Amino acid sequence: MTRAEQGNETAVVEFIILGFQSIPEVECMLFVIFLVTYFTTLSGNLLIMVLVVTDHRLHSPMFFFLGNLSFLETCYTSTILPRMLASFLKKKYVISLNGCFLQYFFFTGLAGAECCLLTAMSYDRYIAICKPLHYTTIMNGRCCLQLAGVSWVNGLLASAIVTSLMPQLTFCGPNEIDHFFCDFAPVVKLSCSDTHWIELVTFILASLLTLPPFLLTLISYVCISYTVLRIPSSTGRHKAFSTCSSHLTVVTLFYGTLMVVYLLPKPNTLGDLHKVFSVCYTVLTPLVNPLIYSLRNNNIKKALR
């Protein structure tokens, strides 16, 4: 373990990411699964981005946000999976402090941006279904760019604030991260300095980035449901709901797995189980998003043909 002397303390200058070493009998199988998952995720999301850019039928606010989401998911999965695959090959993956903080910055920033972007997409569906006569006026190009820009800036800015505080922590004890990437809790747990302030700042920023977007998304779908149920024909109700069913599925999957990972207690006996739940929103969500949208959206199907 590489260390540097700081006064009377020995400071850790690198971390060892344990990943799934506690279950070595399935490491080979997990490597193959994650490798296939990574290339499938990249292919699916890149295909959607190409379709959104090149097909004129997809030049609408809904698909503009979908293209942003696919680009975000591509970056998001590339922040986690390549290093995870490397840890399977090396058996003992070592990462520097700065490399760990950089991974955390991109992971957190992209996750925060996704929360805001999903809210922007729900607002788009709310305007389309509840205020269809004003849709083209409200959801113009400038509004779409502003919503997407604010989503990216909010996520990356909040992540930059937390990440800028992390180098102030002192790490002088164990340097093994019991996770498959540099998440906040397992990294801060290794610090031998006072972490109350950074934990408080992180809690406030995480609450601001998740709770308001989640509530706004929930309110949007309550209004959408109320409007759809008032449509007299069953065909009209089905058509209206089908335009937002894909997004609702993605929102449920994303927020559902986030709540399981970060809100439920984490006893030591469930450490590996929480890694599995973390895989759901870091690996599986970027994989299934393009599948959900391509299978349920007729315009995407036509563009693919």
Side-chain angles (χ1 to χ4, degrees):
M1 178 171 62
T2 304
R3 293 172 177 264
E5 295 295 331
Q6 290 186 349
N8 294 327
E9 292 183 335
T10 305
V12 173
V13 296
E14 60 186 21
F15 292 122
I16 297 174
I17 298 180
L18 298 180
F20 294 92
Q21 292 182 26
S22 59
I23 44 176
E25 61 275 6
V26 297
E27 278 193 310
C28 183
M29 181 182 67
L30 288 176
F31 173 79
V32 174
I33 292 174
F34 287 136
L35 182 64
V36 173
T37 299
Y38 181 53
F39 283 110
T40 305
T41 301
L42 288 183
S43 301
N45 284 293
L46 287 173
L47 179 60
I48 286 183
M49 283 189 283
V50 170
L51 291 176
V52 169
V53 171
T54 58
D55 196 307
H56 69 278
R57 291 170 296 187
L58 304 183
H59 292 174
S60 65
M62 180 174 70
F63 295 107
F64 169 77
F65 290 123
L66 177 57
N68 269 267
L69 182 63
S70 293
F71 177 69
L72 186 150
E73 299 285 27
T74 301
C75 299
Y76 189 65
T77 194
S78 297
T79 302
I80 304 293
L81 275 176
R83 288 188 180 274
M84 189 196 301
L85 293 170
S87 68
F88 283 118
L89 294 175
K90 296 181 179 180
K91 301 297 181 182
K92 184 179 179 181
Y93 189 79
V94 178
I95 184 172
S96 66
L97 260 69
N98 289 334
C100 187
F101 298 155
L102 187 64
Q103 185 187 49
Y104 175 77
F105 165 74
F106 283 112
F107 159 72
T108 308
L110 293 169
E114 182 163 358
C115 290
C116 298
L117 193 59
L118 290 174
T119 303
M121 295 174 76
S122 67
Y123 176 71
D124 171 69
R125 292 299 85 206
Y126 163 75
I127 298 297
I129 293 175
C130 300
K131 300 180 182 295
L133 297 180
H134 304 283
Y135 181 75
T136 54
T137 304
I138 297 175
M139 296 304 297
N140 52 46
R142 181 180 178 182
C143 179
C144 293
L145 287 173
Q146 288 176 340
L147 288 173
V150 168
S151 299
W152 284 93
V153 170
N154 282 348
L156 295 175
L157 180 61
S159 179
I161 293 173
V162 176
T163 308
S164 66
L165 299 176
M166 296 183 78
Q168 300 177 23
L169 298 175
T170 302
F171 299 92
C172 52
N175 70 332
E176 294 182 340
I177 298 176
D178 189 17
H179 211 347
F180 57 85
F181 69 99
C182 292
D183 202 0
F184 179 80
V187 171
V188 171
K189 182 181 178 181
L190 300 178
S191 175
C192 53
S193 56
D194 184 17
T195 60
H196 288 92
W197 278 109
I198 190 172
E199 288 178 355
L200 179 61
V201 171
T202 302
F203 175 77
I204 293 173
L205 291 175
S207 299
L208 291 175
L209 267 180
T210 55
L211 189 58
F214 176 73
L215 291 177
L216 288 172
T217 302
L218 186 62
I219 292 170
S220 296
Y221 275 103
V222 169
C223 296
I224 289 171
S225 300
Y226 178 73
T227 302
V228 170
L229 291 175
R230 293 176 61 190
I231 298 176
S233 68
S234 59
T235 304
R237 289 194 298 268
H238 176 75
K239 184 178 180 180
F241 185 73
S242 65
T243 63
C244 56
S245 59
S246 298
H247 178 255
L248 183 59
T249 303
V250 170
V251 168
T252 303
L253 181 63
F254 179 73
Y255 279 107
T257 52
L258 275 183
M259 290 177 181
V260 169
V261 172
Y262 292 106
L263 295 184
L264 292 183
K266 304 174 181 61
N268 293 331
T269 54
L270 296 179
D272 289 332
L273 189 59
H274 277 278
K275 290 181 188 178
V276 173
F277 287 130
S278 297
V279 167
C280 290
Y281 77 91
T282 58
V283 178
L284 293 185
T285 301
L287 170 67
V288 301
N289 280 0
L291 295 176
I292 291 172
Y293 279 104
S294 60
L295 293 176
R296 293 195 174 191
N297 191 285
N298 290 327
N299 288 327
I300 292 288
K301 291 178 182 179
K302 291 177 182 177
L304 285 171
R305 295 192 191 104

